[in-house]
Amino acid sequence: GRRTSARLALLRNLAAQLLQHGRIRTTVQKAKELRRVADKCITLGKRGTLHARRQALGLLYAKDVVARLFEEHAPRYRDREGGYTRVVRLPNR
């Protein structure tokens, strides 16, 4: 596998790209692992506190992505209890 630091960096970058663009194309295993990270980020966004925003900044590093998370994504999912992301399998190219 990967070293822990490399895996965390990969998941942070994938989560930032997912939150920035709305959807991304990646492998099934990376997508399944990414769901956990992205759902936690959206849960932080739903809390909406300064502490949650700082925790999200510690996880994602990109201020613009965190701002988008708190302003656009979190209100969209305020009535849903988890399961914010979905893995859609694409046909082979």
Side-chain angles (χ1 to χ4, degrees):
R2 297 178 195 268
R3 293 189 329 268
T4 304
S5 59
R7 186 172 55 253
L8 289 176
L10 171 78
L11 290 173
R12 284 173 165 167
N13 286 326
L14 284 174
Q17 293 300 308
L18 176 64
L19 293 170
Q20 185 174 7
H21 299 291
R23 67 178 63 186
I24 56 172
R25 183 176 294 192
T26 185
T27 64
V28 173
Q29 288 305 312
K30 287 177 189 170
K32 286 182 176 183
E33 200 62 30
L34 172 62
R35 272 193 305 207
R36 298 172 60 205
V37 176
D39 283 0
K40 285 179 184 176
C41 290
I42 293 173
T43 301
L44 287 173
K46 283 175 58 174
R47 286 188 198 154
T49 62
L50 178 60
H51 181 57
R53 186 176 290 264
R54 287 180 173 160
Q55 285 180 314
L57 279 167
L59 190 64
L60 295 175
Y61 297 145
K63 286 185 179 181
D64 56 332
V65 174
V66 172
R68 185 173 182 159
L69 168 66
F70 277 75
E71 294 162 13
E72 294 177 26
H73 295 297
R76 182 186 313 161
Y77 297 114
R78 71 176 172 275
D79 297 329
R80 183 178 295 195
E81 296 290 330
Y84 311 113
T85 53
R86 181 174 298 151
V87 175
V88 178
R89 294 182 182 219
L90 297 174
N92 293 334
R93 54 187 180 110

